[in-house]
């Protein structure tokens, strides 16, 4: 037998232990090994009961997701877990599954194929398949409603959120919680079960399946919620359909239909994109040339300079992670405003029940607001988060270079400026790094970590580790204007503005991208972020503008009019007290005036053009960024967009999306735009090359790895 499964006996109980680290996924050999164990222990006269348990940190966390890619690319035939589960359920000896860690997806499905389930108090169970764009494919949608009832099963299968052991016990998914040693408790439970004559089979329980009258509102509500919270996604609705089938079809027929729906989802681009996103988030943590053994500096104390929107949010991140943080401002008013905003944000979370008032008090106590640099010589990281202006940043870095203790990380939250230039004003450029947070900094998961020319490997490794500690996804990028995310968003926003100048109403531009799946349209996003931010940056870089190359006109004009976006209740739209947005004729007038003065011909613009000009602008710039080595891999760009810019997960990120469209098609369009709109659309050489070779960004990355 393979090492994937261990077989032992204790006190007359046969124990099958899954040994497939790190998460005991159901990789090839695991289901077969479990089946062999069941067969062996059923035949063994010394054995009265059988236990299935996970070795290491968890029970089975699901099917092996890597196998899905092999199936959809035709390299491997699909194999079903159903025969294993039938064999388990049909065992004449009681079969007990002992759960610790996470019994997710296929893991929970296997567990539900047993007669009984016991769990440690910290265990979690769930059907998270929808997060990968698929539905449970091994009878999860058929057995879960039989164990937990239709309402709970629908919620778990459609939204994918895990359920903790206690909740699983009250729902009937597990039969007992074992305090203390899980295996010892499971053995006692199994020996007790062996005294029973009949062991109920989950597939034969029909008492919780409800009636058409009771079920109809459950499914209707779930469908309405899924359409709202999982906009445009197929899997949640498909999962609800599959659970509904459990209530109308016999078990075997329900399983057959579930499998068909599972396969449809698996071969869908949405699922491929979401699986790409799942592995992508893990891949970005792996940095070529920086090994896992690189020493990491411990961050026990922090300081943040600037208590504005970003600085306050950054300080909250440290406090949320239990790290004491000094929050420094230069004026008492600004400091008071910053602290009040933090208090308001925390109070909102308490009101929404996210955490208690006591937790809020603990976090507030970790934030030390002050107007001077006292204590800066004690901290392990200083994060500068003042306005985007090189002169100011350089001045601050010179001050903190004098104050900080040796080994302190000096980080800038700049969103566009050169880390090398900032570092040049210190005597320790090896300790200087960019940590670019995204607004709202306490909410958005992305942290762009900007490596300067001299940044030390240990400072990079420490910043990546810090990202994890702050519950962020850290992505390492190179130093250039705007780094990865903002350099690309500049092109996207530029095209959105050009489209408006050429005749597309702002609302239409936003609606096309929102309906396509972006969290919000580009112009609404600028209003939220603050139009003055880009305005200030454009002023900083004005000298770099190439004469004769078209520049966007409207956003700067709006800023001149004092319309900075939501914060001034006016930007591309006007906003009421509740931040409700309406179009503003003043903006329409400004657009017409500027377009006419610049001689821009106005015309009807299609939804398709809006989509292609904005999204392909991202892709073309992304290709340049890859060529220049500013992003390590296409997937790094994708993860930046998925976690920092509201790009829909089910499209996989801009580079993956381009791969799904086909790079020759994308390149063809880019060339058409170049012919119509000029040099800003010159195709990136890498895009052109891959299009000609019929390759994808993904293939290119693999060949280089
Ligand atoms: N298949 C293959 N690899 C997996 C995996 C899976 N199901 N789950 C995790 N991994 C890998 C990760 O890629 C990572 O690999 P790396 O070290 O090379 O980067 C490693 O295991 C550790 O994973 P995490 O870094 O995510 O570890 P955490 O401890 O933070 O989280 C977890 C553990 C909660 C289990 C999390 O990994 C997770 O949510 N995994 C996915 C679970 C899931 O979606 N299961 C359903 C699969 S689909 C299915 O079962 C279909 C069925 O219905 C037929």
């Amino acid at each position: 037998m393979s090492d994937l499964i261990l077989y032992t006996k204790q006190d007359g109980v046969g124990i099958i232990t899954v040994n497939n680290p790190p998460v005991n996924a159901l990789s090839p050999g695991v289901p077969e090994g479990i089946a062999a164990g069941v067969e062996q222990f059923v035949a063994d006269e010394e054995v009265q009961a059988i236990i299935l348990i996970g070795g290491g940190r968890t029970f089975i966390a699901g099917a092996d997701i890597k196998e899905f890619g092999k199936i959809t690319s035709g390299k491997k035939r699909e194999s079903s877990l159903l025969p294993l589960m039938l064999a388990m359920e049909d065992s004449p000896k009681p079969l007990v599954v002992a759960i610790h860690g996470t019994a997710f997806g296929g893991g929970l499905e296997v567990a539900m194929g047993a007669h009984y389930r016991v769990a440690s108090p910290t265990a979690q169970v769930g059907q998270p398949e929808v997060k990968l764009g698929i539905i449970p494919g091994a009878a999860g949608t058929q057995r879960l409603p039989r164990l937990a009832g239709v309402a709970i099963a629908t919620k778990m299968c459609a939204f994918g959120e895990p359920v903790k052991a206690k909740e699983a016990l009250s729902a009937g998914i597990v039969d007992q919680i074992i305090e203390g040693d899980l295996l010892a408790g499971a053995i006692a439970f199994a020996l007790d079960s062996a005294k029973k004559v009949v062991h109920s089979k989950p597939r034969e329980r029909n008492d919780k399946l409800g009636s058409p009258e009771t079920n109809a509102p459950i499914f209707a509500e779930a469908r309405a919620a899924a359409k709202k919270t999982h906009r445009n996604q197929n899997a949640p609705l498909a999962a609800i359909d599959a659970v509904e089938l459990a209530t109308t079809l016999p078990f075997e027929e329900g399983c057959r239909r579930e499998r068909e729906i599972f396969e449809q989802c698996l071969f869908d681009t949405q699922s491929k994109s979401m699986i790409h996103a799942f592995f992508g988030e893990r891949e970005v943590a792996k940095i070529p040339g920086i090994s896992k053994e690189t020493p990491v500096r411990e961050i026990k104390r922090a300081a943040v300079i600037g208590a504005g929107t970003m600085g306050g949010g950054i300080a909250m991140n440290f406090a949320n992670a239990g790290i004491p943080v000094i929050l420094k401002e230069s004026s008492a008013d600004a400091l008071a405003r910053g602290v009040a905003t933090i208090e308001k944000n925390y109070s909102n979370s308490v009101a929404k029940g996210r955490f208690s008032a006591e937790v809020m008090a603990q976090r507030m106590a970790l934030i030390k607001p002050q107007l001077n640099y006292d204590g800066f010589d004690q901290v392990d990281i200083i994060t500068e988060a003042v306005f985007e202006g090189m002169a100011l940043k350089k001045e601050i870095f010179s001050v903190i270079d004098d104050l900080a203790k040796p080994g302190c990380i000096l980080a800038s939250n700049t969103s566009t400026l050169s880390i090398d230039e900032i570092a040049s004003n210190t005597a320790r450029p090896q300790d200087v790094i960019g940590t670019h947070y995204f607004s709202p900094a306490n909410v958005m998961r992305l942290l762009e970590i900007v490596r300067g020319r001299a940044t030390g490997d240990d400072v990079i490794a420490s910043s990546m580790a810090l990202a994890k500690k702050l519950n962020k996804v850290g992505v390492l990028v190179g130093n250039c204007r705007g780094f990865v995310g903002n350099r690309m968003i500049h092109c996207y926003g530029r095209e959105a503005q050009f489209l408006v100048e050429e005749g597309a109403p702002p609302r239409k531009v936003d609606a096309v991208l929102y309906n396509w799946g972006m969290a919000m349209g580009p112009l609404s996003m600028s209003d939220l972020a603050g139009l003055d931010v880009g305005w200030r940056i454009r002023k900083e870089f004005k000298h770099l503008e190439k004469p004769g190359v078209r520049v966007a006109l409207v956003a700067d004009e709006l800023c001149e009019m004092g319309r900075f976006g939501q914060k001034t209740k006016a930007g591309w739209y006007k906003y009421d007290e509740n931040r409700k947005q309406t179009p503003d004729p003043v903006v329409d007038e400004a657009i017409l005036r500027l377009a006419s003065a610049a001689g821009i011909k106005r015309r009807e613009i299609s939804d398709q053009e809006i989509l292609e000009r904005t999204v392909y602008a991202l892709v073309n710039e992304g290709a340049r960024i890859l060529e220049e080595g500013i992003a390590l891999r296409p997937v790094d760009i994708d993860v930046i967009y998925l976690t920092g810019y509201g790009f829909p997960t089910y499209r996989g990120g801009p580079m993956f999306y381009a791969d799904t469209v086909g790079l020759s098609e994308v390149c063809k369009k880019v060339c058409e735009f170049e012919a119509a709109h000029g040099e800003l659309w010159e195709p990136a050489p890498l895009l052109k090359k891959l299009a000609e070779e019929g390759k994808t960004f993904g293939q290119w990355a693999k060949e280089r790895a």
Side-chain angles (χ1 to χ4, degrees), residues 196-215:
K196 292 185 193 158
V197 183
V198 184
H199 307 293
S200 110
K201 301 178 183 180
R203 72 173 189 266
E204 288 175 357
R205 295 191 207 164
N206 292 328
D207 55 306
K208 285 191 171 180
L209 287 179
S211 66
E213 293 73 36
T214 55
N215 291 339

Side-chain angles (χ1 to χ4, degrees), residues 141-142 154 215-216 219 223 239-249:
T141 62
Q142 307 301 298
T154 304
N215 291 339
F219 296 130
R223 286 189 175 105
I240 299 168
D241 290 349
V243 176
E244 188 167 24
L245 290 170
T247 67
T248 56
L249 295 176

